[in-house]
Amino acid sequence: MPVAIITGASKGLGRALGAALAGRGWDLVVDARSAGPLEEAARELRRGGARVVALPGDVTDAAHRAELVAAARDLGGLDLLVNNASVLGAEPLVRLEEHALDGLRAALEVNAVAPLGLVQEALPLLRVSSVFETSGPSPYIGDSDDHIGTEAHKSTGGAVLNISSDAAAEAYETWGGYGAAKAALDQLSAVLAVEEPGLRVWWVDPGDMRTDLYAAAVPGDDGSGRPLPGTVVPALLRLLDAGAASGRYAAPGLLDGAR
């Protein structure tokens, strides 16, 4: 069975993606900072028969990252790494003139440095994955999604899915610290795609979602009309099913293309 690591998997998009992959027969290594909610999520994921290893911890801790990859190795390897864990850096969000520098450092550590650290730890397993049976080296394609499903030659190599944000590319008042951290993640993803042409590297703006993160960011906003995280999962599965080329994607566009 294919194996995925998903960080920030106790709720929101991470938990929803985990449920979808478990339903498809994937085995999972899941992580979150709070042990109780993570184990509750893991119990739910195991109901369909998936092997699920739940490891509470902080992704900024190198020892924890090594533990996640070791667990994947014990399950048989690693085919998909999902860097989903994220922090805002300020709750609620504030203008840059008020943004605590320690908060910005924390956002960079969790949203950019830790994902790179986990990629570095996971590369030996990802490079030998055989989850994709199509195409040779996956081209770097920037912001276009016209290429989905265009590969044609057999290759080895797994996938890295980094959850980004439109705040990485657009200037929204009060979103500067978080957006800067996600922009750093985008650039790291783009360079990784060039340096590791045998892998699929996807950095995805999931679009608007009703999450605890958004509620903490803008507590005065009524988020009840925002889509639930589960509505984004089909967009992520489309990338996986197509073995799509490396690049930046927006989930709304992927969903429109699937209709």
Side-chain angles (χ1 to χ4, degrees):
M1 293 298 154
V3 178
I5 293 174
I6 306 175
T7 66
S10 64
K11 57 187 176 181
L13 182 57
R15 182 167 179 167
L17 178 58
L21 292 176
R24 289 172 162 224
W26 284 64
D27 294 325
L28 304 173
V29 179
V30 293
D31 137 288
R33 285 173 291 181
S34 299
L38 179 63
E39 187 51 46
E40 178 188 346
R43 284 196 297 270
E44 179 181 301
L45 294 172
R46 293 184 188 111
R47 285 175 187 162
R51 294 184 296 170
V52 180
V53 179
L55 297 172
D58 188 333
V59 291
T60 66
D61 178 0
H64 176 61
R65 296 194 299 265
E67 188 180 22
L68 293 173
V69 175
R73 185 182 294 109
D74 289 344
L75 289 175
L78 181 61
D79 303 293
L80 173 65
L81 169 60
V82 183
N83 283 307
N84 172 69
S86 188
V87 299
L88 293 166
E91 296 183 12
L93 295 178
V94 295
R95 292 165 55 91
L96 289 175
E97 66 175 336
E98 305 168 33
H99 204 299
L101 296 184
D102 284 347
L104 176 58
R105 291 187 188 98
L108 287 165
E109 282 287 339
V110 174
N111 300 347
V113 178
L116 176 58
L118 193 47
V119 166
Q120 290 173 337
E121 192 76 35
L123 272 175
L125 294 181
L126 289 169
R127 285 172 177 151
V128 298
S129 166
S130 58
V131 69
F132 299 111
E133 295 181 356
T134 54
S135 115
S138 183
Y140 167 68
I141 47 69
D143 292 315
S144 169
D145 62 6
D146 298 336
H147 54 285
I148 291 180
T150 60
E151 292 85 2
H153 302 94
K154 187 173 182 179
S155 74
T156 58
V160 176
L161 170 58
N162 290 328
I163 303 302
S164 183
S165 168
D166 59 342
E170 301 291 339
Y172 301 128
E173 186 173 356
T174 75
W175 288 84
Y178 177 79
K182 288 296 188 179
L185 178 64
D186 280 9
Q187 181 64 4
L188 290 171
S189 303
V191 174
L192 180 66
V194 173
E195 293 179 347
E196 296 288 338
L199 303 185
R200 274 72 170 176
V201 183
W202 307 312
W203 49 113
V204 178
D205 166 16
D208 290 340
M209 292 189 296
R210 192 191 319 169
T211 62
D212 290 349
L213 190 77
Y214 181 79
V218 192
D221 185 62
D222 179 10
S224 60
R226 298 169 71 87
L228 290 170
T231 63
V232 176
V233 170
L236 306 180
L237 296 179
R238 187 181 179 214
L239 293 174
L240 191 62
D241 290 344
S246 295
R248 191 180 201 278
Y249 294 84
L254 289 168
L255 292 170
D256 287 344
R259 292 189 182 109

